[in-house]
Amino acid sequence: QVQLVESGGGLVQPGGSLRLSCAASGRILSIYGMGWYRQAPGKQRESVARITSGGSTNYLDAVKGRFTISRDNAKNTVYLQMNSLKVEDTAVYYCTIVTDSGAYWGQGTQVTVSS
């Protein structure tokens, strides 16, 4: 059993910053990919950022230059630093990992960007 615990969401004004964290625990031998998705009301879930075990990253065009994904392999944790936040970044953010035993999702954390 693998659990993902997310933290760091909240309410922020446009132009502000937030840092999301997602810590994985349980029976994990190897973590391959890690990533963040988001889902806004009435929209489909979309991939925001991904990072491979080797550190290669991939970003949604809308967040390039503003968001940075990183991982701490020793802590089985993935981060998402979000800067210059916009109203359209408002969504529930989910972390996901791919391990030797399958893919897992976090419970989601709300990010609201509003003045």
Side-chain angles (χ1 to χ4, degrees):
Q1 192 75 9
V2 175
Q3 297 83 37
L4 301 182
V5 178
E6 302 171 4
S7 60
L11 173 64
V12 64
Q13 292 185 340
S17 298
L18 285 174
R19 188 191 194 209
L20 305 183
S21 300
C22 174
S25 62
R27 193 173 182 277
I28 300 171
L29 297 180
S30 298
I31 296 179
Y32 305 123
M34 308 180 86
W36 291 92
Y37 282 68
R38 69 185 181 187
Q39 188 166 19
K43 295 187 177 181
Q44 290 188 331
R45 189 174 297 190
E46 61 182 356
S47 174
V48 175
R50 291 173 288 172
I51 185 167
T52 68
S53 57
S56 296
T57 58
N58 182 273
Y59 295 94
L60 179 70
D61 283 347
V63 307
K64 284 181 180 177
R66 301 188 296 120
F67 290 11
T68 303
I69 189 171
S70 60
R71 61 190 284 173
D72 185 332
N73 292 328
K75 296 181 179 180
N76 288 341
T77 299
V78 61
Y79 305 96
L80 186 67
Q81 178 66 44
M82 304 185 294
N83 298 329
S84 302
L85 283 160
K86 302 177 180 180
V87 171
E88 51 263 43
D89 295 319
T90 295
V92 178
Y93 284 69
Y94 300 88
C95 67
T96 182
I97 66 172
V98 177
T99 76
D100 53 284
S101 62
Y104 300 89
W105 290 85
Q107 80 284 0
T109 185
Q110 177 70 44
V111 171
T112 302
V113 185
S114 175
S115 55

